[in-house]
Amino acid sequence: MKRILLSLLTAAALCLALAACGSTTESGDTTEDTAGETSAESTNEVDTINYETEKGTIVYTGYEFAEWALVEHNQDLTQDDQVLIVKFDFTNKQANPAQVQSAFQIQAFQNGTEISDNLSWSSSGSQYDLIGNYFSDVLKDGTLSFGKMFPLKDSSPVTIMVSDKDGDENAYQMMTIAVDQETTAAASVTEAQVEELLQGTWNLTSSAGGSGAFTFDQGALTVVGGGSQMNGTYTVDLAGQKIAATLQATDGSVSIELPFQCDGSTLQLFNTAGENLVKE
């Protein structure tokens, strides 16, 4: 039975400048100068970035926090650190296929200083694809969603600045995000919502060559993989954004965790390597 358990556990593991625009004069109509400064500020500082140039359009669509599996290979980070993924839609207006980075520069600031975006990412899944899309070509008039990662320094607001890649110093838009580091995408989702979306069988064909099927039924879990089957129970951990399960065998038991993302209407389930499980 130990050999069967180890085989199944293998399958389970597989499924587991800033710049403000203004001007001053030594003499002249100060009222006009003030009005000009106010107009420039209102143009550059926006509630939501929606910026269009001759090369393309970039629109802010929201933010989320990076899963630990996505950024764990960065040695200067720990699981207590929060990495913000700022999300945008990019539409290419150029005749040739182009990447967003050919048209726009994206920066983030906290406490008046820039946050480095020099992060590596690994594994797979929706967040991996979102970050990878920053380096993907888009055909003319095509639109692609992408994300940029920034490791947060503290809990203070984050200012996002999008600049025209080849524009002058006033060619930009900026917005401020009041990021709540204690709140994730699952914070507004209830356990009952996750439970309802979870019901049924989820399959995984791993890039490592393994496969498995996980059937959730009102607190009961059946896992089939490696030619064997194990039964157990599970609970929804909203705070940890994971499904915590215990599988039973005649000679022992094992605990597994399946990370998830849920917005209340859709549920994405992953193994610990960040690979997607697909619901039947």
Side-chain angles (χ1 to χ4, degrees):
M1 191 62 192
K2 284 288 188 181
R3 291 180 179 271
I4 295 175
L5 177 61
L6 288 174
S7 177
L8 190 54
L9 292 184
T10 300
L14 288 171
C15 55
L16 298 174
L18 279 174
C21 177
S23 62
T24 59
T25 58
E26 295 180 359
S27 63
D29 191 336
T30 57
T31 302
E32 286 187 1
D33 291 340
T34 304
E37 291 175 9
T38 303
S39 175
E41 290 177 357
S42 64
T43 299
N44 295 128
E45 299 179 16
V46 296
D47 293 331
T48 300
I49 289 173
N50 188 336
Y51 190 28
E52 183 174 4
T53 69
E54 293 181 353
K55 290 186 175 182
T57 302
I58 185 169
V59 180
Y60 170 78
T61 60
Y63 73 85
E64 60 189 62
F65 293 105
E67 299 168 1
W68 175 239
L70 186 74
V71 296
E72 62 182 342
H73 294 297
N74 293 272
Q75 296 183 354
D76 56 339
L77 295 178
T78 71
Q79 285 185 285
D80 293 329
D81 294 319
Q82 292 280 20
V83 176
L84 191 68
I85 299 179
V86 185
K87 300 185 292 184
F88 299 89
D89 283 344
F90 167 63
T91 301
N92 179 30
K93 295 169 58 179
Q94 302 169 76
N96 296 325
Q99 302 174 9
V100 60
Q101 59 181 317
S102 70
F104 299 102
Q105 179 181 9
I106 302 169
Q107 297 168 275
F109 302 82
Q110 270 189 317
N111 303 309
T113 59
E114 186 173 5
I115 307 173
S116 170
D117 63 351
N118 186 27
L119 291 177
S120 61
W121 73 101
S122 59
S123 75
S124 61
S126 61
Q127 289 192 336
Y128 179 92
D129 293 338
L130 190 68
I131 302 303
N133 283 348
Y134 178 74
F135 303 96
S136 298
D137 285 336
V138 183
L139 293 174
K140 186 178 187 301
D141 298 326
T143 299
L144 183 67
S145 298
F146 73 93
K148 284 278 287 181
M149 294 191 299
F150 299 98
L152 299 183
K153 301 176 180 180
D154 50 45
S155 60
S156 60
V158 178
T159 297
I160 306 298
M161 182 175 179
V162 174
S163 307
D164 184 345
K165 189 78 171 184
D166 300 316
D168 61 32
E169 62 180 9
N170 293 322
Y172 69 89
Q173 282 188 358
M174 63 167 55
M175 61 179 290
T176 299
I177 304 173
V179 178
D180 183 356
Q181 297 192 68
E182 301 300 323
T183 302
T184 66
S188 60
V189 176
T190 66
E191 183 177 320
Q193 288 174 311
V194 177
E195 186 72 56
E196 180 180 358
L197 295 168
L198 186 64
Q199 301 307 295
T201 299
W202 298 70
N203 294 303
L204 170 76
T205 300
S206 171
S207 59
S211 62
F214 291 71
T215 300
F216 299 88
D217 183 14
Q218 303 299 326
L221 173 62
T222 300
V223 180
V224 178
S228 302
Q229 175 177 311
M230 293 183 70
N231 299 315
T233 59
Y234 70 88
T235 57
V236 177
D237 180 357
L238 280 181
Q241 283 192 273
K242 61 188 178 183
I243 306 300
T246 301
L247 301 173
Q248 303 294 338
T250 56
D251 56 352
S253 63
V254 62
S255 297
I256 62 172
E257 295 181 348
L258 302 174
F260 70 83
Q261 290 181 354
C262 183
D263 62 8
S265 60
T266 59
L267 176 68
Q268 292 179 299
L269 197 60
F270 309 93
N271 68 354
T272 53
E275 296 173 312
N276 286 307
L277 279 73
V278 180
K279 190 174 184 180
E280 291 184 353

